[in-house]
Every structure is written in C-alpha cells, then in structure tokens.
C-alpha cells in the first residue's frame, strides 16, 4: 500500500475504533474515577510529557495509579536499593514499585485500564491505536541512532512490545521491536496486534 494511502487508512481506523472504544468503555470510567477519588483523593488523571512523531511533546493521559510526589518516592527508593536502580536503568520499570496507589493502582496497572484516557490522545492525533510505546524524551538515548525510526511514527496505545511480553521484555528488545515496526508499516499487522491485545492483557504477563 502506498505510504499516503496507508497513513490515511491508519488514521481512519484510529478515529473509528477510538471513538467506538470510548463509547464502549464509558460504563467503566465512572467507577474508576470514583475508586481513585474516594479512596485516595487528589487528581484522577495523570499527565506525563512524552515524545511523539517528529519529536513533538504531548501530554500522555492516564488514570492516576501513583501516590503524590511519585518522582521523589522513586528517587529515594532507587537511592536506597542498588538492585532496584539496576532494574530501573535496564527496563524503566520496577516489579516492586513503591509509587503504586494501593490495590486500585495495582488493578488498573495489571489490566491496563489506566491507559483508557489515551483514547483521547488517539482522537487528537497525538497517538495511534498501534505503535511504539510512548517514551519520555530522556529515553531516546536508549534508541541511539535508531531514534529517528521511533520519531517517524505516532506512539501507540498498544504495539509489538505490549503483545510481546510487556515489562518482561528488556529495553534493548523493545527498541528492536519499535524500530522494526516503524520500518515495516502494515495495516494488516496493526489489525493482528489489536486482535492479540485483549489476550495479552488477560494473561497479565509482564504487567507491573
């Protein structure tokens, strides 16, 4: 498929399925909002600056699953634990994350329901349904000269990393998956990833 036709078809699929997803998920939104607000208080939506296509920055939306002052909590935890610091440097994830907001936060993380607000990012054109995992700007260093491939596409709500093991997948493999995805655009592949995503979420593999 020619590049322009592929881009138009992909955007059309994003708009249709993101709108449908918000309608279907509407009945989940209120219970999640109430669980966060009534049990833990504070903001319900967490906005994290991420890098999008072409190097532009955008606010990646999530339901809040972390305690207040999460960055300070993380900094102190990594300073106290060399093992946790090594794990964070290797994967940008922690199996035993002290920032998680109790049972509510763990449930939202495990099921990826915390990422439902990113459907709005998709509608705005900042993200796609399928693409590389959204990253912080400092994470571009992990991509080195391959970073141009990450910047060539929109980051995705799901993608090859998410259906291939999530946090059980090391960062070096994650970079390879992202680069290979960007180099070989295919609407058929996007559909296969979308179909595999529910199974990956239900399995709970790599979810933390």
């Amino acid at each position: 498929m020619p590049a322009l036709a592929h881009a138009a078809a992909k955007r059309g699929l994003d708009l249709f399925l993101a709108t449908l997803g918000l309608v279907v998920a509407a009945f989940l939104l209120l219970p999640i909002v109430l669980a966060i607000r009534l049990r833990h208080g504070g903001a319900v939506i967490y906005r994290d600056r991420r890098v999008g296509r072409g190097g532009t920055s955008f606010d990646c939306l999530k339901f809040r699953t972390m305690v207040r002052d999460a960055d300070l909590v993380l900094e102190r935890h990594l300073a106290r634990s060399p093992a946790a610091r090594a794990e964070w440097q290797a994967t940008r994830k922690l199996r035993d994350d002290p920032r998680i907001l109790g049972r509510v936060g763990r449930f939202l993380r495990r099921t990826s329901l915390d990422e439902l607000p990113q459907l709005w990012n998709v509608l705005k054109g900042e993200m796609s349904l399928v693409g590389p995992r959204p990253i912080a700007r400092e994470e571009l260093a992990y991509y080195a000269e391959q970073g141009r491939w990450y910047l060539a596409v929109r980051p995705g709500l799901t993608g090859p990393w998410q259906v291939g093991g999530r946090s059980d997948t090391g960062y070096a493999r994650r970079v390879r998956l992202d680069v290979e995805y960007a180099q070989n655009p295919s609407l058929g592949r996007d559909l296969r990833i979308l179909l595999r995503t529910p199974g990956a979420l239900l399995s709970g593999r790599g979810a933390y």
Side-chain angles (χ1 to χ4, degrees):
M1 182 183 294
L4 288 178
H6 173 268
K10 184 175 174 68
R11 182 61 183 150
L13 185 68
D14 282 347
L15 291 172
F16 173 72
L17 291 182
T19 302
L20 181 63
L22 283 172
V23 172
V24 171
F27 73 98
L28 290 172
L29 300 181
L30 182 59
I32 292 173
V33 168
L34 290 176
I36 297 172
R37 176 72 73 177
L38 296 180
R39 188 171 181 85
H40 298 285
V44 171
I45 297 296
Y46 173 70
R47 300 170 182 268
D48 197 16
R49 295 297 282 175
R50 298 293 167 128
V51 182
R53 187 174 63 173
T56 58
S57 296
F58 69 97
D59 286 331
C60 187
L61 305 178
K62 286 187 176 187
F63 284 121
R64 185 168 68 94
T65 60
M66 294 187 181
V67 298
R68 295 187 181 95
D69 299 321
D71 291 340
L72 180 59
V73 171
L74 175 64
E75 182 182 340
R76 290 173 175 171
H77 181 66
L78 297 183
R80 290 192 303 263
S81 172
R85 185 165 60 251
E87 181 185 4
W88 177 258
Q89 290 173 344
T91 65
R92 301 284 295 189
K93 295 280 186 177
L94 293 174
R95 288 184 180 275
D96 185 17
D97 196 327
R99 300 171 297 170
I100 300 302
L101 203 65
R103 286 180 295 177
V104 171
R106 286 192 293 273
F107 173 76
L108 292 175
R109 284 288 192 90
R110 186 174 65 252
T111 58
S112 289
L113 288 174
D114 62 318
E115 297 181 356
L116 279 177
Q118 289 172 27
L119 290 169
W120 182 247
N121 290 121
V122 174
L123 288 178
K124 291 175 66 179
E126 296 164 335
M127 292 177 61
S128 178
L129 287 172
V130 183
R133 181 77 169 173
I135 64 173
R137 190 165 297 277
E138 59 267 24
E139 290 179 81
L140 281 172
Y142 288 92
Y143 289 74
E145 71 278 0
Q146 302 281 18
R148 62 191 177 94
W149 290 108
Y150 172 86
L151 298 175
V153 296
R154 290 186 180 96
L157 185 59
T158 186
W161 176 79
Q162 290 91 325
V163 300
R166 298 160 86 182
S167 296
D168 285 343
T169 302
Y171 213 108
R173 174 163 168 73
R174 174 175 161 180
V175 169
R176 289 196 297 272
L177 288 171
D178 287 348
V179 170
E180 195 275 335
Y181 174 85
Q183 289 175 335
N184 300 280
S186 166
L187 203 60
R189 184 181 185 186
D190 283 1
L191 291 172
R192 289 192 295 272
I193 289 173
L194 287 170
L195 290 173
R196 290 177 59 193
T197 296
L201 296 180
L202 289 173
S203 74
R205 180 187 170 198
Y208 55 86

